Amino acid sequence: MPRPSRQIFAVSGILHPPVGEPVPRRSALLDHAISLTGVPVAKVCLVPTATGDQPEVIESFYAAVRDAEQVIPSHLQLFPRPNVDDVGAFLRDQQLIWVTGGSVVNLLAVWRAHRVDAILRECWAAGVVLGGGSAGSICWHTGGVTDSFSERLDPVTETLGLLPYSNGVHHDLADQPRRRRYLECVAAGDLPAGYATDDGVGLHYVGTELVEAVSSLPGAGAYRVEPGERHGTVVERSIPTRPIGAGQRR
């Protein structure tokens, strides 16, 4: 069976689960990403470069998919050296590559040092589904705002640029002014027009077109953000989101 068209599933993970709600072992967003592979049993590779390949992040991933019969899990470590002999062949053999959050700036630097950025482009062209949350969302776009440099949330633009849009993540996060900074950067022309997601929301692209936004939390949304007609202004509009997982039952 041929692999589907080039797909990216870019999400904002849930940083603060709703009070009183049970925390699922595996997120509905990851389950949805797995379903996009279109195969009964998918090879799913975690890429935790943005966390410095922290062992607890890797262990948490394996624990999350332990009971998933539709998953053959693996991971790619780059610290202190790659854990596989041929990184390109290893990644091209996957059906889903899932990139964690963390430092998008450090992630991009390490990827380029190991030529992983070029390999991921090849994987995308070959039909491997690419996805991830936060840093693992911004990296596929033309840029976004990040706290990788400081709490000021500076723009980053030296991303992979597979998608011709900027990206705002954790758009509803109260701890940081992510929404305000993203809107400011688009208004100023520091970032191009793009899409933003609240926590628990994912953007599904086929080729370079956004085909659907899905939400795993009630009330969480996705947004199109564009420069306004007057210089220095910005327009933000909600786009439809389809509930998935627990959000589908509410």
Side-chain angles (χ1 to χ4, degrees):
M1 179 179 176
R3 284 181 168 176
S5 303
R6 298 167 298 165
Q7 296 185 87
I8 291 176
F9 187 54
V11 317
S12 288
I14 302 173
L15 296 182
H16 303 297
V19 177
E21 292 287 331
V23 179
R25 176 181 293 181
R26 185 174 61 255
S27 78
L29 294 171
L30 178 56
D31 278 342
H32 187 71
I34 295 167
S35 75
L36 296 177
T37 65
V39 298
V41 180
K43 295 179 180 179
V44 179
C45 177
L46 181 78
V47 181
T49 317
T51 70
D53 293 337
Q54 291 179 356
E56 56 267 33
V57 173
I58 298 170
E59 292 165 6
S60 176
F61 166 70
Y62 282 105
V65 299
R66 186 175 297 132
D67 62 348
E69 296 180 356
Q70 75 276 30
V71 172
I72 300 173
S74 63
H75 70 280
L76 174 67
Q77 276 180 253
L78 297 175
F79 294 92
R81 63 185 63 85
N83 62 323
V84 295
D85 291 334
D86 188 331
V87 173
F90 174 71
L91 289 179
R92 284 189 290 269
D93 189 47
Q94 306 300 317
Q95 270 99 34
L96 169 63
I97 295 171
W98 191 253
V99 179
T100 69
S103 172
V104 68
V105 171
N106 293 345
L107 170 147
L108 293 165
V110 174
W111 278 3
R112 290 187 172 115
H114 288 269
R115 201 182 152 268
V116 171
D117 58 330
I119 293 168
L120 289 170
R121 290 178 184 275
E122 296 168 4
C123 292
W124 182 58
V128 179
V129 179
L130 306 180
S134 194
S137 175
I138 294 172
C139 65
W140 315 118
H141 296 78
T142 58
V145 295
T146 177
D147 58 4
S148 298
F149 296 112
S150 73
E151 289 292 331
R152 291 190 305 270
L153 297 169
D154 304 296
V156 57
T157 56
E158 296 181 358
T159 46
L160 268 64
L162 300 180
L163 301 168
Y165 320 105
S166 63
N167 182 224
V169 295
H170 308 304
H171 208 50
D172 58 343
L173 186 64
D175 298 353
Q176 293 177 315
R178 286 182 177 264
R179 183 183 223 130
R180 176 176 61 79
R181 286 292 294 132
Y182 180 53
L183 297 180
E184 287 175 351
C185 287
V186 173
D190 296 328
L191 292 172
Y195 295 95
T197 50
D198 291 340
D199 276 20
V201 176
L203 303 169
H204 179 207
Y205 299 92
V206 176
T208 59
E209 296 299 317
L210 178 66
V211 297
E212 185 179 38
V214 297
S215 175
S216 63
L217 287 180
Y223 311 88
R224 172 68 174 170
V225 178
E226 301 173 296
E229 292 184 2
R230 290 186 296 107
H231 178 71
T233 64
V234 65
V235 176
E236 176 192 64
R237 60 180 176 83
S238 297
I239 58 178
T241 59
R242 178 172 65 86
I244 61 172
Q248 190 173 25
R249 300 192 296 269
R250 299 181 185 185

